[in-house]
Amino acid sequence: MRTKTLSAVLAGCAFLAAGQASVADGGFVLGAAPKPAFLYFSSKKDGGWTQAFDEARPKIEAAIGVKIPFVENVAEDALQIRPAAEKFIQRGYNVIIGTAFGYSDTFKQLAEKYPKVAFLDGSGTVNAVNLQSFYGRTYESQYLCGMAAAAASKTGKLGFVAANPFGPVIWTVNAFEMGALKIRPDATTTVIYTGAWNDPVKERAAATALADQGIDAIGQHVDTPTPQIVAQERGIYGTGHHRDFREFAPKATVCSSVWTWDKYLAPALKTIKAGEWKTEPYGAFAGIKGGATDIACCGPAVSKPNVDKIMAERKAIIDGKHVYAGPLSDREGKERVAAGAVLADGDLWKMDWYVTGVITQK
Amino acid sequence: MRSLRRGRPVVAARRRMSAAFDAAVTTVAILAGLALSAFILVVAGVPAEELANEFIVNTLTDADNLRAVLAQAAPLAFVGVGAALAFRVRFWNLGLEGQMIAGSVAATAIALADVGPPVWRLFLMLVAAMAAGMAWALVPALLKLRLGVNEVISSLLLNYVALNFLLHLLYGSWKDPVDAFPHSPAFDPFERLPDLGWGLNAALPLVAAAAVFAAWLLGRSRAGFYMRFVHANPSVALAKGLPVAALVLTAVLLSGGYAALAGVCLSVGQEGRLTQAFFAGYGFSGILIAFLARNNALAAVVVAFLVAVLFVSGQSLQVFYQIPFAMVRLIEAIVIISAAASEFFLRYQVRWLR
């Protein structure tokens, strides 16, 4: 069961504040040349989250000129994480890169125990002077995929298969609908939560139920390409998450929110090598501009004018446009972002509301 | 043709089985499995002279590795002894993970509600965990005893009920307010298993005491003797006037309680909070350990230690030789199948008939 997710955010937490203080004291200097190693949450060929890291790995190796070994299937269990990391450290590896939210507490302990080793944790929640959690602003890429889905849809009725309802998933759902509204003001997004990150059976049932309702474009934030495969079988469209799912459903998938971790990790490792690494106390949280996330777009079902619109929005986001800019109200009419303001990162992580047009189980 | 008639193998049931013979056959089988695995690893590119070094010397003499093995062995031993208790009365408790979850949920409830003074908190958490694990095991036990419902199905499916209840709590009222992530707030230091020094916590003495108690119960007590009778033939045991239902209930409830403590070793001992996946995979390991230990409590502790060695050294193979995880799984499977196959030589003897 995966839990991936993220970076930390919150002010008010004592150890975060302590981490911040020591960062201010002068950052972290690695004693030797960086020797990174990965701990993978699942199999390197999982088709999604972990495979995206494994596909970034050779690019990072080329960029920094060092081989990067890895261990697969390190579950979110301190008894597996600790020995895997310590074995690498004993053999001289000094940059340990984790890939799961559930590694956070153990990485925090390891970072204290090994102050000369740098730790990075994809979708972690804690930070320290030598520990950086990182994640991507997936609402940017999912916003663009929502545009593509609405452009491919004939009915304006969109669906979304998601894992579990909490901040980092809810922000992709809302962004998907907001992107769709940009193309079609009548677009709606019906969401089904499967309660699991990787459950092809439930994902198939959810996608089938959506298609049965006459929905003709299905977005997703789960780990397998099953919703896209169902979309292809039903002759409708969809958008992927983690990687370019045209690999599995070439006709159906019109856009995918993809990870581009080499663009974040290679520069980060170079900064560590240069001795200029300063961890961000609330986590590194990069969007399309910072190189964490991007889109693989667009399939032939998206018309040329709409492709141009999507690419123009992508450029606007890189140039500083915030998806969650005010004025913005939730579907109950409560104002969530004031005019002229943007949603703070802390509020993003705690998002528990939906924009108008999102239809959920409750 | 002639030479074939000179003799043929004959399989006959073994009349007597001794514990020493049992142990010897199992050991030889496990060694055979390891030899086969070693051969496969050498073919896969691990230098032969490094193998023994990696598996035995490095895992058992390096302090960090030994700590990792011991920490891993504690929950495995708990869940293994727990499985053995239920299997002793022919109750196939596949609900170990559900019982682990139920126990840790109860312990977390005590911690979050700040029940009792701090000095008693951990004790209350352990008691609550055992009670909840027993309650979770009671359901399939009663269904079997009263309605004849097959416990393989009912105990297994209750795992999913427990898992979904856990997720309901973690995505709902127990979500950590500090980071809004799906895990419970962290426990206070006095709500965690205390450190005994050298990086080990109180899980080890706890599991040692629990295993000795289970060994006494199964091996020395009158109840244990009766349980063996139930295992051999429940209907005859009933006809002879043994309290079969009470014996089954005792063993199954203890099994659930032990599974709950395995969960506690992980959530309260290691993670320091309730997480989404702390139990994952342990139910299967527990069944395996009980099976390899032939439902003997002390043997289950030894097997749990060996399985922990296998886990930790399996990780070494990945780290240092980039052996794929699938290969590590393959080795684990070979060792287990070898031990399982040795059962044949325990029950039967093969003689060459001239």
Side-chain angles (χ1 to χ4, degrees):
Chain A
M1 148 125 327
R2 144 88 121 319
T3 331
K4 75 194 186 213
T5 325
L6 317 227
S7 343
V9 192
L10 295 227
C13 177
F15 60 74
L16 286 180
Q20 190 175 21
S22 34
V23 173
D25 288 344
F28 168 82
V29 178
L30 200 65
K35 274 184 81 182
F38 269 114
L39 306 189
Y40 289 159
F41 167 76
S42 64
S43 155
K44 67 174 178 173
K45 288 265 184 263
D46 70 348
W49 171 254
T50 300
Q51 192 166 344
F53 277 102
D54 199 54
E55 284 166 353
R57 191 170 51 87
K59 297 180 196 165
I60 304 167
E61 286 174 343
I64 64 166
V66 179
K67 269 305 255 175
I68 308 179
F70 61 89
V71 183
E72 293 172 87
N73 289 295
V74 180
E76 291 174 315
D77 173 350
L79 294 176
Q80 293 192 29
I81 303 161
R82 205 178 298 128
E86 290 194 325
K87 285 200 182 92
F88 277 125
I89 293 167
Q90 280 168 10
R91 305 257 169 141
Y93 290 89
N94 53 15
V95 183
I96 306 297
I97 308 171
T99 56
F101 144 63
Y103 292 5
S104 299
D105 288 347
T106 308
F107 265 43
K108 178 86 184 158
Q109 292 159 9
L110 287 167
E112 276 161 21
K113 187 171 171 191
Y114 299 100
K116 296 208 159 89
V117 174
F119 292 86
L120 291 137
D121 188 13
S123 81
T125 59
V126 293
N127 298 278
V129 66
N130 58 333
L131 165 59
Q132 179 76 84
S133 287
F134 61 92
Y135 193 63
R137 294 181 187 267
T138 46
Y139 56 86
E140 295 181 355
S141 42
Q142 285 281 1
Y143 172 82
L144 300 172
C145 281
M147 292 177 74
S153 166
K154 292 182 187 71
T155 62
K157 287 169 73 179
L158 312 182
F160 203 94
V161 180
N164 288 297
F166 74 122
V169 176
I170 294 173
W171 81 45
T172 64
V173 171
N174 282 331
F176 183 84
E177 168 65 11
M178 288 160 77
L181 289 173
K182 187 95 184 158
I183 297 286
R184 284 186 71 131
D186 63 340
T188 58
T189 299
T190 304
V191 187
I192 296 182
Y193 288 107
T194 60
W197 289 102
N198 193 320
D199 190 334
V201 176
K202 280 189 196 157
E203 289 164 24
R204 171 166 287 276
T208 304
L210 290 169
D212 287 346
Q213 291 174 33
I215 279 162
D216 63 354
I218 300 175
Q220 67 174 81
H221 188 171
V222 285
D223 287 357
T224 88
T226 309
Q228 303 309 304
I229 292 166
V230 171
Q232 176 134 338
E233 286 168 7
R234 300 289 292 250
I236 56 176
Y237 300 103
T239 67
H241 193 78
H242 292 315
R243 295 170 60 250
D244 187 350
F245 280 169
R246 276 179 288 195
E247 179 185 343
F248 304 99
K251 283 187 198 141
T253 306
V254 294
C255 175
S256 294
S257 165
V258 298
W259 301 112
T260 52
W261 290 124
D262 51 302
K263 291 186 187 157
Y264 167 74
L265 285 172
L269 290 169
K270 282 180 183 164
T271 318
I272 292 173
K273 189 176 184 179
E276 290 158 3
W277 194 50
K278 284 200 178 178
T279 58
E280 296 179 40
Y282 302 126
F285 187 23
I288 296 176
K289 189 180 176 206
T293 179
D294 207 337
I295 50 168
C297 196
C298 304
V302 183
S303 68
K304 179 74 174 74
N306 280 330
V307 172
D308 291 344
K309 268 192 209 167
I310 292 167
M311 289 305 162
E313 280 295 297
R314 179 177 176 274
K315 178 154 192 317
I317 287 170
I318 292 171
D319 291 342
K321 171 178 170 161
H322 201 293
V323 171
Y324 287 103
L328 185 62
S329 298
D330 64 22
R331 63 185 178 188
E332 275 83 38
K334 184 179 168 195
E335 183 179 80
R336 293 293 182 168
V337 189
V342 297
L343 195 62
D345 286 354
D347 293 331
L348 271 167
W349 295 109
K350 290 190 162 175
M351 188 179 282
D352 58 358
W353 47 270
Y354 295 97
V355 297
T356 306
V358 175
I359 300 159
T360 54
Q361 282 151 317
K362 271 192 238 174
Chain B
M1 289 307 286
R2 221 154 208 254
S3 60
L4 277 181
R5 285 204 199 116
R6 270 194 202 150
R8 61 195 167 91
V10 170
V11 175
R14 228 173 249 293
R15 295 271 166 79
R16 259 181 292 171
M17 285 181 269
S18 75
F21 182 75
D22 194 332
V25 168
T26 310
T27 309
V28 169
I30 290 176
L31 287 177
L34 286 175
L36 185 58
S37 307
F39 173 73
I40 291 173
L41 285 173
V42 170
V43 171
V46 180
E49 63 275 17
E50 292 280 306
L51 262 181
N53 200 21
E54 206 57 78
F55 253 110
I56 301 155
V57 181
N58 228 328
T59 307
L60 297 181
T61 58
D62 177 83
D64 276 335
N65 282 340
L66 188 58
R67 259 196 289 269
V69 168
L70 289 173
Q72 178 71 79
L76 286 173
F78 255 128
V79 81
V81 175
L85 279 161
F87 295 171
R88 263 302 169 94
V89 289
R90 278 198 192 276
F91 186 95
W92 308 112
N93 181 9
L94 302 191
L96 295 160
E97 290 189 1
Q99 292 141 23
M100 289 172 77
I101 295 171
S104 289
V105 164
T108 307
I110 299 285
L112 294 184
D114 289 336
V115 176
V119 272
W120 285 100
R121 185 73 49 77
L122 184 64
F123 176 73
L124 290 175
M125 287 166 71
L126 293 177
V127 171
M130 277 201 83
M134 288 176 167
W136 208 253
L138 182 65
V139 179
L142 286 183
L143 283 173
K144 179 177 189 179
L145 291 172
R146 297 275 158 161
L147 302 173
V149 176
N150 186 338
E151 78 279 11
V152 172
I153 307 294
S154 60
S155 67
L156 180 72
L157 292 185
L158 276 169
N159 287 343
Y160 297 98
V161 178
L163 170 62
N164 281 300
F165 182 59
L166 172 73
L167 293 180
H168 168 74
L169 291 170
L170 294 181
Y171 281 96
S173 48
W174 284 4
K175 190 190 273 184
D176 185 2
V178 174
D179 56 16
F181 268 72
H183 49 205
S184 79
F187 299 142
D188 289 319
F190 55 83
E191 292 165 346
R192 304 190 54 165
L193 290 181
D195 245 318
L196 302 179
W198 207 64
L200 294 172
N201 67 32
L204 284 177
L206 209 57
V207 75
V212 168
F213 173 75
W216 170 82
L217 181 76
L218 294 178
R220 299 254 174 256
S221 75
R222 179 174 300 213
F225 178 73
Y226 286 169
M227 282 175 192
R228 250 175 291 165
F229 199 161
V230 174
H231 182 86
N233 194 328
S235 359
V236 174
L238 196 62
K240 279 280 173 193
L242 290 192
V244 173
L247 288 166
V248 169
L249 264 185
T250 307
V252 173
L253 290 187
L254 276 175
S255 172
Y258 277 38
L261 291 179
V264 163
C265 290
L266 295 158
S267 58
V268 177
Q270 295 294 333
E271 307 290 344
R273 60 169 95 221
L274 190 62
T275 66
Q276 289 182 58
F278 67 94
F279 54 88
Y282 284 91
F284 184 66
S285 301
I287 292 165
L288 196 88
I289 290 164
F291 175 70
L292 291 181
R294 303 196 200 288
N295 301 339
N296 178 309
L298 293 182
V301 175
V302 176
V303 175
F305 179 80
L306 294 177
V307 169
V309 170
L310 204 59
F311 281 3
V312 172
S313 49
Q315 226 174 21
S316 300
L317 291 174
Q318 278 201 80
V319 169
F320 304 126
Y321 303 105
Q322 294 289 292
I323 294 292
F325 182 74
M327 188 88 93
V328 175
R329 272 284 155 87
L330 179 70
I331 291 166
E332 289 168 11
I334 289 174
V335 173
I336 288 151
I337 290 176
S338 309
S342 74
E343 181 109 358
F344 174 80
F345 295 99
L346 290 180
R347 293 189 182 279
Y348 301 98
Q349 53 191 71
V350 183
R351 272 180 311 167
W352 196 257
L353 204 69
R354 280 186 187 271

